[in-house]
């Protein structure tokens, strides 16, 4: 059974730093991996979806990488800003195409 | 660019009352989902509809029913609300099949007293 883990559960860094969020999964036979952002009291916003055939995907200051063999994805945020403060979640589909979720990393960017 | 729209945004119910949460998407997606999100529990799938005319149980279906009214709309019904159903409910949709990229509504915050 696929399990998804995100470490750390929370992260606080000063503004301007580059940072990496981690997502691990136990079954490497995935179709894709999706990163989401959730602001307090809000819904989830899709940030990046990286297909199993891809090694990385970029959107602005965000870069997601995927290493299926090691069961890991990282979300790299460059030049962090206070507006990046949110909870970041990753998810992978199982064999029935249903998403299996990590518990999220709560990110705080200090001005 | 409406995407996925949920109503209502907030609701307070008394134990035993019933209500229906509405969800509509305008992206012509085949698959739709209902999740609940609780502190410390993450997102849990209640029910999903892989395509119009089909519905299936997710991880936590007890106490809920769903209707896929048409391709656009997927509703979640609580027949007899219980305090344990206090949660934030999210509707989501995706193209379906291998295209699992999910898009979410803004959520419904439900309190059962």
């Amino acid at each position: 059974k696929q399990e998804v883990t995100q470490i750390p559960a929370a992260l606080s860094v000063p503004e301007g730093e580059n940072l990496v969020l981690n997502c691990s999964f136990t079954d490497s036979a995935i179709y894709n991996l999706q990163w989401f952002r959730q602001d307090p009291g809000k819904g989830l916003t899709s940030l990046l979806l990286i297909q199993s055939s891809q090694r990385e995907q970029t959107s602005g200051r965000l870069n997601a990488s995927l290493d299926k063999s090691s069961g890991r994805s990282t979300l790299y945020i460059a030049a962090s800003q206070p507006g990046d403060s949110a909870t970041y979640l990753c998810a992978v589909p199982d064999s029935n195409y249903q998403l299996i979720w990590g518990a999220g990393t709560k990110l705080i960017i200090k001005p | 660019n409406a995407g996925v729209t949920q109503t209502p945004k907030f609701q307070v119910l008394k134990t035993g009352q019933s209500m229906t949460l509405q969800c509509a998407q305008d992206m012509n997606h085949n698959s739709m989902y209902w999740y609940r999100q609780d502190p410390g529990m993450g997102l849990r799938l209640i029910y999903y509809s892989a395509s119009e005319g089909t519905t299936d149980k997710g991880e936590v279906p007890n106490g809920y029913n769903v209707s896929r009214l048409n391709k656009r709309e997927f509703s979640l019904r609580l027949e007899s609300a219980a305090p344990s159903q206090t949660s934030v409910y999210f509707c989501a949709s995706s193209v379906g099949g291998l295209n699992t990229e999910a898009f979410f509504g803004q959520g419904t915050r439900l309190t059962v007293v």
Side-chain angles (χ1 to χ4, degrees), chain A residues 31-32 34 36 38 41-44 46 49 89 93 97-99 101, chain B residues 33 35 37 43 45 48 90 97-98 100-106 109:
Chain A
Y31 305 117
N32 57 59
Q34 194 169 0
F36 295 85
Q38 185 175 27
K42 303 289 187 183
L44 282 75
S46 178
L49 183 143
L89 298 104
Y97 312 131
Q98 303 312 311
L99 291 178
W101 294 87
Chain B
Y33 312 84
Y35 290 93
Q37 187 176 40
L43 277 158
L45 183 65
Y48 66 99
F90 289 103
L98 284 175
T100 61
E101 186 174 12
F103 297 86
F104 279 74
Q106 288 301 297
R109 187 173 295 273

Side-chain angles (χ1 to χ4, degrees), chain A residues 41-94:
Chain A
K42 303 289 187 183
L44 282 75
T45 301
S46 178
L47 295 173
L48 290 163
L49 183 143
I50 182 164
Q51 300 288 354
S52 61
S53 58
Q54 296 176 309
R55 300 272 311 175
E56 62 179 53
Q57 189 74 263
T58 298
S59 176
R61 293 183 294 108
L62 305 180
N63 177 278
S65 68
L66 178 63
D67 184 343
K68 284 178 55 179
S69 62
S70 66
R72 290 189 59 197
S73 176
T74 60
L75 180 67
Y76 175 84
I77 303 177
S80 58
Q81 303 170 358
D84 295 329
S85 298
T87 296
Y88 291 80
L89 298 104
C90 64
V92 297
D94 65 12

